[in-house]
Amino acid sequence: MNILLLGRGKTGSLVAEVAARRGHHVQIAGATENVDAGALTPEKLHGIDVVIDFTAPHCVVSHIEATVNAGKNMVVGTTGWYGQLDHVKQLVESHGTGFVYAGNFSVGVNLFLDVARAAAAALRHDYSGQIFERHHVHKKDAPSGTAIAMQHVIREASGKDEELEIISFREGEVVGMHEVVLESAADRIYLCHDAKSRQGFADGAVRAAEWVAGKKGFYNFKDVWREL
């Protein structure tokens, strides 16, 4: 495939490496090449199969709008924009493009969400809970998209209206650690996922791009990762 990668950060750079290793042709547009979504015009996207975005919350929605308006499929790993999810979904569906997003493209994290979904039953049996997330000091959004996804999964699975509290830490160069703690008067349950590197994020994002190529529709990675 011909992939346009938006973002030259640590995860974006690794995505480019993974995509090239899997035989794809990758172009990269950083902030200087993509001012006001200037790299996402229909002319510049001619010949591009999928756009992958690992940029920043303040600019990602304009990137999505430009890419979808140009009729191109997209994978978005940037978080911090989910307040506009309905707007983006409507845009994707009205233009008939393919779109995959996730707070985390790691297969391990998505397995962890399934574990958290099962453990949410504890909240119906006099347990209380909290979510803790730790990331590097450079991460711009807090709480993380993964923690928010975990919060939603647990709420839906437990049948409870209240959301679990999320406590965020920004420390050093921590790649990403997420913990769920469920506590009763009798015992305490700990669930933890600790990313050792960004490799899992990059692998999942490229595999999502391969999966969505030629497809139409609006997808969350948690719903499709088993098909990869």
Side-chain angles (χ1 to χ4, degrees):
M1 294 189 301
N2 290 320
I3 295 173
L4 175 62
L5 172 68
L6 305 179
R8 296 182 184 275
K10 292 179 180 179
T11 302
S13 298
L14 190 54
V15 168
E17 292 178 19
V18 170
R21 192 163 62 242
R22 292 177 69 88
H24 304 300
H25 177 69
V26 185
Q27 300 176 41
I28 303 176
T32 55
E33 298 97 337
N34 194 31
V35 176
D36 296 328
L40 301 173
T41 64
E43 296 76 20
K44 292 189 176 179
L45 290 178
H46 180 73
I48 295 295
D49 297 302
V50 180
V51 175
I52 301 178
D53 190 296
F54 277 91
T55 57
H58 74 275
C59 59
V60 63
V61 173
S62 65
H63 296 169
I64 293 169
E65 290 170 342
T67 301
V68 173
N69 285 332
K72 296 297 180 177
N73 286 8
M74 193 170 192
V75 170
V76 176
T78 309
T79 59
W81 59 274
Y82 296 159
Q84 299 191 56
L85 207 58
D86 290 342
H87 162 65
V88 170
K89 182 178 181 181
Q90 183 179 25
L91 187 70
V92 168
E93 291 175 345
S94 66
H95 283 77
T97 59
F99 187 93
V100 182
Y101 76 98
N104 197 308
F105 282 97
S106 161
V107 168
V109 162
N110 282 276
L111 281 168
F112 183 63
L113 288 173
D114 282 354
V115 173
R117 186 177 288 110
L123 297 176
R124 299 195 296 271
H125 296 279
D126 297 323
Y127 282 76
S128 60
Q130 287 179 305
I131 297 169
F132 299 88
E133 60 100 352
R134 292 169 169 80
H135 283 85
H136 51 87
V137 294
H138 316 290
K139 187 169 177 61
K140 296 180 174 61
D141 57 318
S144 68
T146 302
I148 293 170
M150 195 175 302
Q151 186 185 56
H152 291 171
V153 160
I154 292 172
R155 182 191 64 192
E156 290 171 4
S158 69
K160 300 286 187 178
D161 291 332
E162 63 271 16
E163 300 274 24
L164 260 62
E165 178 187 21
I166 299 175
I167 300 173
S168 300
F169 300 92
R170 295 294 175 262
E171 307 169 333
E173 296 298 327
V174 177
V175 174
M177 177 184 285
H178 293 86
E179 299 171 278
V180 178
V181 179
L182 300 166
E183 185 167 3
S184 74
D187 57 15
R188 190 177 291 121
I189 302 168
Y190 293 98
L191 307 175
C192 180
H193 179 275
D194 187 9
K196 297 191 290 184
S197 75
R198 293 174 174 81
Q199 186 70 42
F201 312 153
D203 286 343
V206 174
R207 291 169 69 189
E210 294 168 346
W211 182 87
V212 81
K215 289 186 173 68
K216 296 180 180 180
F218 185 83
Y219 306 95
N220 189 313
F221 186 70
K222 71 180 176 65
D223 300 320
V224 305
W225 65 269
R226 291 178 182 83
E227 301 177 23
L228 301 181

